[in-house]
Amino acid sequence: MLTLTSNSPAVLVLTDIFGRCPGLEPLLANLRLGGAVVQLADPYQGVQQQFADEPEAYAAYIERCGHDAYAAIAAQVFASTTQQFDLALGFSAGATALWRVLAQINSSRLKQAILFYPGQIHQHLALKPQVPTQIIFGHSEPHFAVADICQQLQQQGVSAISTPYGHGFMNPASKAFNKVGYQQKLHQLLLILKSAKY
């Protein structure tokens, strides 16, 4: 359960297929240093993971969770608390899981969402988020043209941009990790947290 002071922004983080792993800890630490109280949702019920690489992480994700179960985990987070989150962050599989529940929740539960490279979003484009949502893609995705999906999402009123970085650029455990991209987006997140305090 989250314990808040009156001006602590509440942040929900939905991890990628790596789950809770050493690569995630710097982001969580930075969010907390920015004043946030962080709640984590992941495919492995909070158990620390240590995968050798992305294929190993993906195999574990599909075997132990999968896309539909992760969407159900995301929905359960919102159903099981009266807490209003100032910000929800989703990464890759966690971003797609979050996207799938944004059509069902309102601003009494969540103020805004930022989704990083939701690789399965093309299968759920009929959904319309009920809270302000920004989607940040890398430069490419294997299953769709990023520019086309950004255009479709923008026509639905969703902020969607591409970056020059690869899918996974926010995760040090990913081969696509990009330190410059990570620092840029972390800076933006910390500015959002700062404004959420007041």
Side-chain angles (χ1 to χ4, degrees):
M1 262 339 237
L2 294 173
T3 306
L4 299 179
T5 61
S6 59
N7 64 349
S8 297
V11 177
L12 173 64
V13 174
L14 290 95
T15 75
D16 59 17
I17 59 173
F18 286 88
R20 181 166 210 145
C21 66
L24 181 66
E25 295 307 320
L27 175 66
L28 299 180
N30 280 308
L31 293 173
R32 291 180 181 119
L33 283 172
V37 176
V38 180
Q39 180 171 334
L40 196 64
D42 75 281
Y44 315 108
Q45 291 79 47
V47 176
Q48 185 87 5
Q49 303 297 311
Q50 185 87 42
F51 297 116
D53 54 27
E54 284 172 75
E56 183 183 326
Y58 187 73
Y61 170 73
I62 293 300
E63 179 186 332
R64 292 154 58 185
C65 185
H67 298 305
D68 291 340
Y70 202 2
I73 289 169
Q76 182 59 32
V77 171
F78 290 102
S80 64
T81 182
T82 57
Q83 169 66 49
Q84 182 192 47
F85 293 100
D86 293 286
L87 177 63
L89 302 173
F91 297 90
S92 193
T96 301
L98 181 57
W99 172 260
R100 291 174 66 178
V101 301
L102 289 177
Q104 304 160 20
I105 59 175
N106 60 38
S107 58
S108 70
R109 293 302 176 101
L110 175 63
K111 290 184 182 174
Q112 64 177 311
I114 300 176
L115 283 57
F116 287 87
Y117 35 84
Q120 299 293 318
I121 196 171
H122 64 293
Q123 297 182 4
H124 306 284
L125 287 176
L127 300 176
K128 183 163 176 52
Q130 300 300 301
V131 298
T133 300
Q134 180 181 17
I135 301 178
I136 300 168
F137 290 103
H139 53 69
S140 63
E141 286 287 340
H143 304 299
F144 56 85
V146 169
D148 292 347
I149 293 290
C150 283
Q151 187 175 26
Q152 280 185 260
L153 290 165
Q154 287 163 0
Q155 288 169 351
Q156 295 170 227
V158 175
S159 170
I161 62 167
S162 63
T163 68
Y165 313 113
H167 180 114
F169 74 88
M170 291 292 288
N171 184 350
S174 170
K175 63 184 178 190
F177 176 67
N178 185 285
K179 191 171 184 179
V180 172
Y182 175 87
Q183 291 296 337
Q184 285 177 350
K185 296 308 173 189
L186 175 63
H187 179 69
Q188 292 174 9
L189 294 175
L190 294 177
L191 289 176
I192 290 168
L193 293 181
K194 190 174 181 182
S195 66
K197 288 183 184 182
Y198 303 105

